[in-house]
Amino acid sequence: MSPAGSSPPSPTPAGLADWAWQSAAELLVPPPAEPSSPSAAPDLDALDLEPLDLDDLVAAIDSAQPKLPLSGDSDKHEPGSWDPALLASLGLILLSRTADAEQDELLRRAADGLRQQLAGNIVTYVVNRNLNVSNHCIKHCSFCAFRRDAGDPGAYWLSEADLQQKAAEALEAGATELCIQGGLNPAATVAGSQLAYAERLLGLLQQAAPGLHLHAFSPQELLYFAQHDGLPLDQVLARLQAAGLGSVPGTAAEVLSEQVRQVLCPEKLTAREWVAVMLQVHQHGLPATSTLMAGHIESPADVVAHLLTLVAVQRYAWQHQRQGFTEFVLLPFVGASAPAALRSRVQRDQPDPAAMLRLTAQARLLLGPWFRFHQPSWVKLTLQGATEALRWGCNDLGGTLMEEHITTMAGASGGTRQSPQALEAAAQRLGRPVGRRTTPYGAVA
């Protein structure tokens, strides 16, 4: 029975494990209270902090982070203590500062220095192929220009033959990874089962391209499989692993703040559900990426809550001797072809490069030693913009992709493929060494 005056705990959603649902509630960091006016600073009296210049602020954030080994091996990490309230307040100051060229350069140098400390100078990338299987989807996210109903103009669903051909082409081109995502297609079933279709898909791709790492199915897709089929998510994950699933993309996170999600994606899984799914993904030994979609209606407080929630989940994984997240990827919002309501509210068709570089650096500082690897999106920023992000805290250029539909249909101008030579040349223009990697950041033999 709940204590008098308190609300009863919310029931565990179908498919999720009770422990994951309860842990997610504890790990989800709420947005900190924002100042009442743009010129006001967050109230830090309770934390005995004076107003800070940028150098002191960066030093305070660094001091608030635990000092962790830099090996990257989860069994060597000490989770350390951390104070999310202190970091949230410091983060809110950091993200609320008025931008100017001098301050931005100090911010860039701080983030770039931490990048060098945690990840070294090498710039990495993966040779992969992106497979967006279908854009048929039952959800209606306000930012999405990709989704269609079956039969709509622009709707598509790749055939099994097409998918196998694309996988074989990727193998021939030297890829080590297939990245597989798509809409929530209600017709994608085998004998009425979404999971059985997903298993068949992984099997077909393995037949066509044996040995390629299968990086597939967002937390939204995984929970949809479980709830559609009436199965525990643990069973879904175990069966997908047996079918060849190697890791999970951390998309569908958008912004882990319910006040934002109610506008962006009210039909999607909640922030708490996203965290719970990731906890179970990590428990199964599956590495996953993490993302933030920014540059739309989110506030600094929403971004701080999102980043510190990622830290909380990563810390939980390391406490339990799990790898957790492999990397952080900032995904700037592209609105050129987005649904009209959100596009008119944001009033920007393409990302603001300066704002996204600033956020790249801020994310590096707030995520601290918990996330060694940071990646920009050349699809959204262009390769030139992504190359510049390597000076603002990033150390990885992502994948070659070979094709891309989700962001391109939103109107992105960065293109759909990059050659290994183009990615290597981008790093070399900065005087940085460059190397291919595997999906979990191992070196390619």
Side-chain angles (χ1 to χ4, degrees), residues 176-233:
T176 58
E177 172 195 296
L178 294 174
C179 179
I180 306 135
Q181 296 183 91
L184 304 184
N185 183 354
T189 62
V190 171
S193 167
Q194 286 276 331
L195 177 56
Y197 177 84
E199 290 173 310
R200 177 172 174 79
L201 176 61
L202 296 179
L204 289 168
L205 295 174
Q206 284 187 307
Q207 290 173 13
L212 262 62
H213 181 100
L214 300 181
H215 180 64
F217 308 131
S218 71
Q220 176 67 84
E221 291 172 275
L222 293 170
L223 188 58
Y224 178 61
F225 298 161
Q227 293 180 341
H228 179 279
D229 288 11
L231 296 173
L233 180 60

Side-chain angles (χ1 to χ4, degrees), residues 81-101:
S81 60
W82 74 304
D83 185 342
L86 173 59
L87 277 172
S89 295
L90 293 170
L92 190 53
I93 297 174
L94 180 67
L95 269 74
S96 301
R97 295 178 71 91
T98 301
D100 66 60

Side-chain angles (χ1 to χ4, degrees), residues 2-333:
S2 301
S6 67
S7 58
S10 57
T12 304
L16 294 174
D18 289 338
W19 70 267
W21 181 241
Q22 297 308 317
S23 296
E26 298 167 5
L27 296 174
L28 195 63
V29 176
E34 297 205 60
S36 57
S37 68
S39 60
D43 181 7
L44 299 180
D45 290 343
L47 300 171
D48 297 322
L49 293 175
E50 298 296 328
L52 301 172
D53 63 26
L54 184 59
D55 286 337
D56 289 339
L57 178 58
V58 170
I61 292 171
D62 180 66
S63 296
Q65 299 278 17
K67 301 301 178 279
L68 302 177
L70 306 181
S71 67
D73 298 326
S74 61
D75 61 351
K76 296 180 182 177
H77 287 307
E78 295 294 335
S81 60
W82 74 304
D83 185 342
L86 173 59
L87 277 172
S89 295
L90 293 170
L92 190 53
I93 297 174
L94 180 67
L95 269 74
S96 301
R97 295 178 71 91
T98 301
D100 66 60
E102 181 180 355
Q103 294 290 298
D104 280 355
E105 177 59 16
L106 291 174
L107 177 67
R108 186 199 69 76
R109 289 180 182 176
D112 197 46
L114 184 57
R115 180 273 306 162
Q116 186 173 20
Q117 177 188 352
L118 293 173
N121 277 326
I122 189 168
V123 174
T124 51
Y125 71 94
V126 62
V127 180
N128 66 351
R129 182 159 199 165
N130 207 36
L131 294 177
N132 299 132
V133 179
S134 173
N135 63 352
H136 299 184
C137 190
I138 63 171
K139 304 293 185 183
H140 303 81
C141 298
S142 70
F143 62 87
C144 184
F146 176 68
R147 63 113 20 233
R148 298 288 190 278
D149 291 321
D152 282 352
Y156 77 90
W157 182 1
L158 295 176
S159 69
E160 293 180 352
D162 285 340
L163 288 165
Q164 286 196 301
Q165 179 181 346
K166 289 174 181 289
E169 291 171 353
L171 182 64
E172 179 67 21
T176 58
E177 172 195 296
L178 294 174
C179 179
I180 306 135
Q181 296 183 91
L184 304 184
N185 183 354
T189 62
V190 171
S193 167
Q194 286 276 331
L195 177 56
Y197 177 84
E199 290 173 310
R200 177 172 174 79
L201 176 61
L202 296 179
L204 289 168
L205 295 174
Q206 284 187 307
Q207 290 173 13
L212 262 62
H213 181 100
L214 300 181
H215 180 64
F217 308 131
S218 71
Q220 176 67 84
E221 291 172 275
L222 293 170
L223 188 58
Y224 178 61
F225 298 161
Q227 293 180 341
H228 179 279
D229 288 11
L231 296 173
L233 180 60
D234 281 330
Q235 185 175 335
V236 170
L237 291 168
R239 284 175 54 178
L240 290 174
Q241 281 182 283
L245 180 64
S247 59
V248 171
T251 49
E254 321 312 355
V255 181
L256 296 173
S257 170
E258 285 308 320
Q259 60 192 15
V260 177
R261 299 180 79 81
Q262 284 304 306
V263 176
L264 291 184
C265 49
E267 300 175 9
K268 217 167 211 173
L269 80 175
T270 65
R272 183 176 172 183
E273 287 172 328
W274 189 93
V275 170
V277 171
M278 275 302 186
L279 291 175
Q280 294 188 239
V281 166
H282 293 165
Q283 185 195 41
H284 279 258
L286 287 163
T289 62
S290 66
T291 64
L292 164 66
M293 186 178 77
H296 41 86
I297 63 168
E298 82 285 2
S299 69
D302 296 317
V303 173
V304 169
H306 182 104
L307 295 174
L308 294 185
T309 294
L310 295 181
V311 169
V313 176
Q314 186 79 315
R315 182 171 181 267
Y316 185 95
W318 289 359
Q319 282 178 319
H320 293 82
Q321 302 301 308
R322 299 163 188 161
Q323 180 176 359
F325 296 119
T326 54
E327 70 205 63
F328 170 74
V329 187
L330 178 61
L331 301 174
F333 172 70

